[in-house]
Amino acid sequence: MNVYGLPSNVGSWFLTDSDCAQYCRRLSPTRYEFTQIVWLDTTEDTDKTYCVTRSVEDVGDMTLDEISGHISSYYKTLFGMVESYGGLHDTGKNALTVADYCQLIAECAFENEVGNNSISEVMDWNHCVDFQRGYMLSQ
């Protein structure tokens, strides 16, 4: 468990961002499914201000321009992203694998569209956590 009480793993899913309960699971070497809880900026006075979203991202279907666009909010270039993590697994001491980079690219793509993929009703945080966990365990 982390400081937010979210488990590090739920079935085949692993936690990638505890602030928004973002989880990922690998579907293939280039395909990843994500889910997270999104805060909805509403003007209503209610505690029901969250929903659960999900998406599947396939880095193998992306062009280099699309990849550059997806990562541009986080890294200046694809080379810069690779360098920031120490290069490729066989060239740097703490470097990542190609699969790790595919996951990072897929995560960036998911975060760029996260508000468009709701799979739940608008609920409070705790109900979203329960809904999300049920969704992940059913997959």
Side-chain angles (χ1 to χ4, degrees):
M1 294 280 207
N2 61 46
V3 294
Y4 295 100
L6 298 169
S8 297
N9 295 87
V10 176
S12 61
W13 299 79
F14 53 95
L15 185 66
T16 53
D17 188 340
S18 60
D19 288 337
C20 57
Q22 183 184 87
Y23 285 86
C24 175
R25 74 176 175 146
R26 183 178 176 198
L27 302 174
S28 79
T30 61
R31 287 183 75 221
Y32 296 85
E33 182 177 8
F34 294 89
T35 180
Q36 83 175 41
I37 298 174
V38 175
W39 175 67
L40 304 170
D41 186 10
T42 66
T43 57
E44 296 177 31
D45 186 20
T46 177
D47 62 348
K48 295 180 178 180
T49 57
Y50 298 93
C51 71
V52 179
T53 63
R54 63 134 334 244
S55 184
V56 173
E57 303 294 338
D58 191 341
V59 178
D61 288 343
M62 296 178 191
T63 66
L64 271 176
D65 284 342
E66 289 170 329
I67 290 170
S68 295
H70 291 311
I71 68 169
S72 66
S73 297
Y74 308 96
Y75 310 97
K76 287 185 178 183
T77 64
L78 185 56
F79 179 77
M81 180 182 88
V82 172
E83 286 299 303
S84 72
Y85 288 99
L88 288 174
H89 179 58
D90 56 346
T91 61
K93 192 156 85 172
N94 296 316
L96 302 179
T97 66
V98 171
D100 294 328
Y101 289 112
C102 284
Q103 180 203 322
L104 285 170
I105 293 165
E107 187 174 340
C108 290
F110 171 67
E111 290 177 358
N112 286 330
E113 65 181 42
V114 75
N116 301 328
N117 312 340
S118 178
I119 59 170
S120 76
E121 296 179 20
V122 177
M123 301 180 271
D124 64 41
W125 175 265
N126 291 330
H127 283 99
C128 280
V129 168
D130 291 341
F131 179 92
Q132 182 189 45
R133 189 164 295 143
Y135 172 77
M136 290 187 290
L137 291 172
S138 73
Q139 300 303 303

